[in-house]
Amino acid sequence: MPELPEVETIVRELRPVLPGKTFQKIDIYWQRSVKGDAEQFVEELTNSTVGDVFRRGKYTCFALTDGRHLTIHLGMSGRLIYSPDEKENKYLRARFTFCEDRLLHFSDMRKFGRMQLWQANQSLLPDLGPEPFETERVLHLLSETKSTRAIKTLLLDQRFLAGVGNIYADEALFAAGIHPRTPANKVPKNRLRRLSLELPQILKKAIANKGTTLSDYRTPESSSGSNQFYLKVYGRENQPCPTCSTLIKQIRINARSSHFCPRCQPPPANFLLIPYKS
DNA sequence: CCTTAGTCCTGCATGC
DNA sequence: TGCATGCAGGACTAAG
């Protein structure tokens, strides 16, 4: 599942090769991979030229030279594959052909990914919260929030904070010593400070490792990331905590699996926890 | 404002 | 073996 570090890795591979390239032909194999009308999307994007490639939250963004933008959200299983040749791929949802026959393939097994074209006068991704690297701003938002939702839920809310998904939310809460079910407005200030500082560190380390490959994620040159070998709690239920050897627990928060160490991430007080509802 | 449940999807694991 | 069921999850929507 591509989160911020995986998307950043993808962007870093595409940025040196795509700017200056023109979309010569676009083939859509699954209409719903396009937000809005797929035919119109193809019509409006054909013959456009890529100016820059960048990341915002979990979105890969292509700035077109005429001021418009193409965004791609990879969902759960989306991949961008940049290659000179065609490969058999039963999950191919879209194919972008550039001049000199270079190809960008959008592959997406579970079909949760979405591509969207933005007009020049539209503000891009207006509902996204700040990037986690804006430490001061994130700390301020966390400190000021009156939200009673579980802190984990807030971290996953892209309007509050952009780019964090299930894996890195669990890792960041472990690093900050916060129980994931703590109400956001009840987390002690010193823990919030730790969270705002640890989160960007965790993301940077994951980027250095070219992302976390659990099953589907690959870079555009189809290599795997290696950050899965460095995860401390995510997916490690019933295994010893790397810090204190207490067994990692798995619980559900808003229908999402959450992993934490009961000793390193103690609840501030039992009655403060967001209760579990089946 | 907040929440939960349902939807979209497929592959994989499990159980009979 | 084969079929049914359940699970995973990000973003979005509807309903309370």
Side-chain angles (χ1 to χ4, degrees):
Chain A
M1 50 206 93
E3 303 181 24
L4 185 154
E6 291 73 37
V7 176
E8 182 63 30
T9 302
I10 288 164
V11 163
R12 289 183 185 191
E13 289 194 13
L14 294 180
R15 197 210 278 273
V17 290
L18 285 191
K21 293 223 165 12
T22 299
F23 293 101
Q24 230 161 42
K25 188 162 174 285
I26 298 159
D27 301 280
I28 305 292
Y29 304 108
W30 182 254
Q31 305 266 112
R32 301 246 280 264
S33 292
V34 176
K35 199 158 187 172
D37 186 75
E39 268 187 46
Q40 194 183 345
F41 173 88
V42 170
E43 205 172 290
E44 292 186 4
L45 191 56
T46 304
N47 295 323
S48 300
T49 300
V50 178
D52 191 17
V53 186
F54 61 97
R55 180 195 59 74
R56 176 81 174 93
K58 302 178 194 173
Y59 292 81
T60 305
C61 306
F62 302 80
L64 306 177
T65 52
D66 59 10
R68 294 180 301 158
H69 287 89
L70 164 67
T71 59
I72 301 182
H73 193 296
L74 296 171
M76 288 289 295
S77 58
R79 291 184 195 177
L80 291 174
I81 304 153
Y82 186 68
S83 82
D85 39 50
E86 202 82 39
K87 273 196 201 123
E88 191 57 41
N89 181 348
K90 60 191 279 209
Y91 307 121
L92 189 64
R93 308 305 176 204
R95 185 181 64 181
F96 302 93
T97 309
F98 298 100
C99 35
E100 302 156 22
D101 292 332
R102 299 294 297 204
L103 298 169
L104 182 67
H105 288 169
F106 175 54
S107 164
D108 186 17
M109 181 177 76
R110 277 173 241 191
K111 298 178 174 174
F112 277 13
R114 292 287 180 273
M115 308 182 287
Q116 189 173 4
L117 191 57
W118 303 73
Q119 300 307 319
N121 60 1
Q122 277 179 297
S123 69
L124 189 65
L125 299 165
D127 296 329
L128 276 191
E131 291 287 317
F133 302 106
E134 298 181 55
T135 312
E136 285 304 315
R137 199 170 152 202
V138 171
L139 178 58
H140 182 76
L141 284 173
L142 285 168
S143 308
E144 297 298 302
T145 186
K146 294 185 171 70
S147 175
T148 56
R149 305 153 86 188
I151 182 70
K152 165 86 184 273
T153 306
L154 202 63
L155 292 183
L156 293 179
D157 185 341
Q158 301 299 300
R159 291 165 306 182
F160 182 80
L161 183 66
V164 177
N166 214 24
I167 297 173
Y168 300 107
D170 279 4
E171 293 296 310
L173 290 171
F174 173 74
I178 301 170
H179 190 293
R181 211 125 65 184
T182 314
N185 63 352
K186 296 277 171 58
V187 182
K189 294 282 178 275
N190 63 328
R191 298 287 162 105
L192 290 180
R193 171 149 214 98
R194 251 169 92 186
L195 179 60
S196 69
L197 295 173
E198 293 283 0
L199 176 60
Q201 294 307 314
I202 285 166
L203 295 172
K204 278 178 192 168
K205 194 181 89 178
I207 292 168
N209 289 327
K210 294 188 181 292
T212 299
T213 299
L214 290 177
S215 51
D216 300 312
Y217 162 75
R218 293 291 184 282
T219 76
E221 273 133 28
S222 66
S223 52
S224 299
S226 59
N227 200 60
Q228 62 276 17
F229 302 119
Y230 305 99
L231 298 178
K232 294 185 172 171
V233 287
Y234 185 85
R236 297 192 65 253
E237 61 272 18
N238 301 321
Q239 291 174 245
C241 166
T243 304
C244 74
S245 299
T246 302
L247 295 189
I248 301 295
K249 268 194 163 186
Q250 181 181 34
I251 58 173
R252 304 216 133 247
I253 300 174
N254 290 34
R256 303 269 174 264
S257 66
S258 294
H259 313 75
F260 72 104
C261 170
R263 188 160 161 197
C264 298
Q265 298 165 265
N270 277 333
F271 64 89
L272 287 178
L273 284 184
I274 305 284
Y276 175 71
K277 297 164 203 141
S278 68

